[in-house]
Amino acid sequence: MKPTTAHTGDPTLEALLAEQRRAQGGRLRLAALSAALVSGASVALLGLSGWFITGAAIAGAGGFAVVQAFNYLLPAAVIRMLAIVRTGSRYVERVSGHAAALKALARLRPLLFARLAAAPPRRAFSLSSGEASARMIQDVDAIQTVFVRLSGPWGAGAGALAAIGLALLAGALPALVLAGGIAIAIFGGLLIGRRVADPAGRRVQVAMGLFKDRLSALQAAAPELRAYGLESWAADQVGQAARTLDRRRVADAVAGGWIPVFQAAVLAVTVIGVIATSAPASLPLVALAALASVTGLEAAAALTGGLRQNGAAQEALARLAEVLDDPARPVIRQLAPAMAGDAIVIRSAALEIAPPFRLGVIGPSGSGKTRLIETLMGLRPSVADQLRLGGLPLEDAALDDVRARFAYASQDVRLLAGSIADNLRLADPGASNDDLWAALSDACLADRVAALPAGLDTVLSENGDRLSGGERRRLGLARAYLRDAPWLVLDEPTEGLDAATETRVLDGLTHHLSTRRQGLILVSHRSAPTALCDRVVDVSVTLSPGGIPLGGRDVRAAA
């Protein structure tokens, strides 16, 4: 294993979003240009239509001679052109803006998952599965509006300028009234959004996270809830969380509704003011100024209408920043290569071991066996200088370096909905089918999988419910065999197996260790597995504040 450089910290959420804005700059600029064309064409289309209809009506009332002199071909052609420009630009704006947003989110979501997986234990364990799911799905989706709204100011600005320009044809005063109305609509919408809509949107985002957290927790306990007849209680718990979410959503809708109400009032007053101040002009120009005012204010309303989602987006950004922006402590990543970098020191038991050493860990329930190995692998916080890896205190080593040195089969094996091959290749995505069969053979599961109609392609339901408990445990063991790591860590690998199956599994383990020359750290309360070990340590029930066994009694050492 090559030495790595000192950790310099991962990019913050703000830096990641800025990076994506640069990466999607072409699409965002196209969306902004298209939004400006949409607003400008909409204002010109409605204003010119008002002028054309009014002028045509006056010409018709003037008699046949006036009608013949009225040029209706050119305005009609311009109106058709503006309608086409507006429709085409709207399509381009939506496609380019949403494409930029979705591509940015596609980059952010796997990065968030990777950060959670590689996070220090204190951060990773602070989120339940439901809360982590809410942040990776709903929170990431919520910040989509951050990208989509980037074209809003361009559209609003183009619409306002076009509307004021057309109003100028009816006089300077109507244009001034319209400019004032647009300014009031924008700043008033901003104020209402910040004071009323934003807090309501934030509360919705939090309530959604709590709802998913509760639902996920109860779903995980579904078998126990059914066994104890607690389905109604669980449904009531979910219902309470859902009702809280619904109330927050209703409040958010009411709060957001004040923005269009305010803007509708400003629109009415402004249009009346524009009509009143443009009265000295001709009727067609009055109609042009009035309808241009309507469209110009609608462009401003589109800008501030996005504020209804601003609170949810800001809360989502804050929640994601808690995961992505956690200050990284300085760490030393220059673990020594090869065997020296794989040496483990457990000070409490006066142990210093390196592959292919085999260590057994035993002790009464609750004595800290599993906590010890999880701490050693960087899955739990480490007590200062109690554990060392590659010559470094574990707390000073980078987590990715630490975790790369271990292949792990836990006592509670987790499987994904997918094929058997998919679940095995989590440990080694490049593993061939021959590699998979070899691992299954060492785990004493090859015959069982070969007997299935689809073999390795057999699809497992969520958490492998189609397999027995012992089969799930052996599948997890086969998965650990596929990981190329110096140390193999097994937590109760033969629990729940009959004596004959246990013997075959241990024979496969012996074959795997001798072939790979891996070190072994094995937790078990059974004598047969620990008989494979060079040394067996009985951990003390006395724990440090961090949960690491401070004492240890060596019950058997290699001869």
Side-chain angles (χ1 to χ4, degrees):
M1 183 177 296
K2 295 181 180 180
T4 54
T5 58
H7 182 66
T8 57
D10 294 309
T12 64
L13 178 60
E14 182 179 351
L16 290 171
L17 292 177
E19 174 191 340
Q20 289 306 304
R21 282 194 291 269
R22 290 190 296 271
Q24 303 302 325
R27 291 184 178 88
L28 292 174
R29 285 190 291 271
L30 180 58
L33 176 61
S34 300
L37 288 174
V38 168
S39 295
S42 298
V43 171
L45 175 62
L46 192 59
L48 182 58
S49 297
W51 174 88
F52 181 59
I53 293 171
T54 306
I58 293 174
F64 180 77
V66 177
V67 170
Q68 294 300 314
F70 184 75
N71 182 2
Y72 60 88
L73 293 178
L74 182 59
V78 174
I79 287 172
R80 290 189 180 94
M81 182 196 70
L82 290 172
I84 293 171
V85 170
R86 182 183 66 172
T87 302
S89 299
R90 176 67 73 188
Y91 175 79
V92 173
E93 180 207 0
R94 293 295 173 85
V95 170
S96 56
H98 284 82
L102 293 175
K103 286 181 178 294
L105 300 193
R107 160 73 175 138
L108 185 61
R109 187 170 281 118
L111 181 60
L112 174 65
F113 181 84
R115 289 280 186 89
L116 282 173
R122 61 177 176 79
R123 181 158 39 125
F125 289 169
S126 67
L127 298 178
S128 67
S129 59
E131 184 66 19
S133 172
R135 300 203 185 196
M136 282 191 291
I137 297 175
Q138 77 175 52
D139 288 346
V140 174
D141 285 343
I143 65 172
Q144 176 178 328
T145 59
V146 173
F147 288 88
V148 174
R149 292 205 312 261
L150 289 176
S151 62
W154 295 90
L161 289 175
I164 293 171
L166 291 178
L168 273 172
L169 297 176
L173 191 55
L176 185 61
V177 171
L178 176 56
I182 291 174
I184 292 172
I186 291 175
F187 288 108
L190 290 172
L191 182 62
I192 295 173
R194 182 167 298 179
R195 296 290 181 86
V196 180
D198 279 13
R202 288 177 179 272
R203 287 191 288 269
V204 168
Q205 205 70 10
V206 172
M208 176 63 79
L210 293 175
F211 169 71
K212 287 192 173 184
D213 181 43
R214 191 59 176 158
L215 181 62
S216 176
L218 292 172
Q219 184 179 15
E224 289 80 4
L225 293 172
R226 286 194 293 267
Y228 289 105
L230 295 175
E231 296 98 325
S232 298
W233 174 83
D236 183 61
Q237 292 290 304
V238 174
Q240 289 181 21
R243 286 189 291 273
T244 299
L245 175 60
D246 289 342
R247 287 194 297 269
R248 298 283 174 83
R249 282 176 166 168
V250 170
D252 180 50
V254 171
W258 284 109
I259 296 177
V261 168
F262 171 77
Q263 290 174 334
V266 173
L267 173 63
V269 173
T270 302
V271 171
I272 292 173
V274 168
I275 292 174
T277 54
S278 60
S282 64
L283 285 178
L285 289 179
V286 172
L288 180 148
L291 293 177
S293 300
V294 172
T295 317
L297 282 162
E298 285 179 349
L303 172 64
T304 55
L307 294 174
R308 295 183 61 178
Q309 300 172 313
N310 190 60
Q314 292 302 316
E315 181 64 25
L317 287 170
R319 285 158 55 86
L320 290 174
E322 291 178 5
V323 176
L324 291 171
D325 295 352
D326 187 69
R329 53 177 170 76
V331 294
I332 301 172
R333 300 185 64 169
Q334 294 180 331
L335 296 178
M339 298 297 291
D342 304 328
I344 294 173
V345 175
I346 305 177
R347 287 180 175 270
S348 58
L351 280 174
E352 183 172 356
I353 56 177
F357 193 88
R358 303 175 186 179
L359 174 67
V361 180
I362 65 173
S365 177
S367 61
K369 303 183 298 295
T370 298
R371 183 176 290 271
L372 171 62
I373 61 173
E374 288 181 348
T375 303
L376 184 60
M377 293 185 293
L379 301 178
R380 292 185 181 275
S382 176
V383 177
D385 209 23
Q386 286 295 316
L387 299 171
R388 300 178 72 88
L389 177 62
L392 297 175
L394 193 63
E395 62 274 11
D396 290 337
L399 287 174
D400 52 356
D401 278 4
V402 172
R403 292 170 183 171
R405 282 169 158 74
F406 297 96
Y408 179 43
S410 66
Q411 185 174 359
D412 183 17
V413 176
R414 297 288 182 174
L415 301 175
L416 303 180
S419 68
I420 291 175
D422 291 337
N423 275 276
L424 289 173
R425 287 195 173 100
L426 291 174
D428 182 5
S432 66
N433 281 356
D434 290 342
D435 295 330
L436 303 188
W437 284 116
L440 289 170
S441 177
D442 284 342
C444 195
L445 197 61
D447 292 342
R448 172 73 170 92
V449 175
L452 297 172
L456 289 172
D457 295 325
T458 300
V459 176
L460 302 177
S461 58
E462 186 175 356
N463 205 25
D465 288 342
R466 294 179 59 180
L467 301 177
S468 69
E471 289 169 344
R472 287 199 298 271
R473 193 182 301 274
R474 281 179 281 160
L475 187 59
L477 184 61
R479 182 166 61 193
Y481 286 165
L482 286 166
R483 180 171 172 83
D484 184 18
W487 289 98
L488 177 65
V489 181
L490 305 180
D491 192 356
E492 302 286 2
T494 61
E495 178 69 19
L497 301 182
D498 60 83
T501 303
E502 180 182 49
T503 299
R504 294 197 300 272
V505 168
L506 294 179
D507 288 343
L509 173 59
T510 302
H511 175 264
H512 171 81
L513 291 173
S514 61
T515 301
R516 291 287 192 95
R517 301 292 294 171
Q518 278 181 309
L520 174 67
I521 300 176
L522 184 145
V523 171
S524 181
H525 68 278
R526 300 166 70 116
S527 59
T530 56
L532 302 179
C533 298
D534 300 318
R535 186 172 181 178
V536 179
V537 171
D538 186 353
V539 299
S540 170
V541 295
T542 303
L543 301 179
S544 71
I548 304 300
L550 292 177
R553 182 170 59 89
D554 186 13
V555 298
R556 183 174 62 79

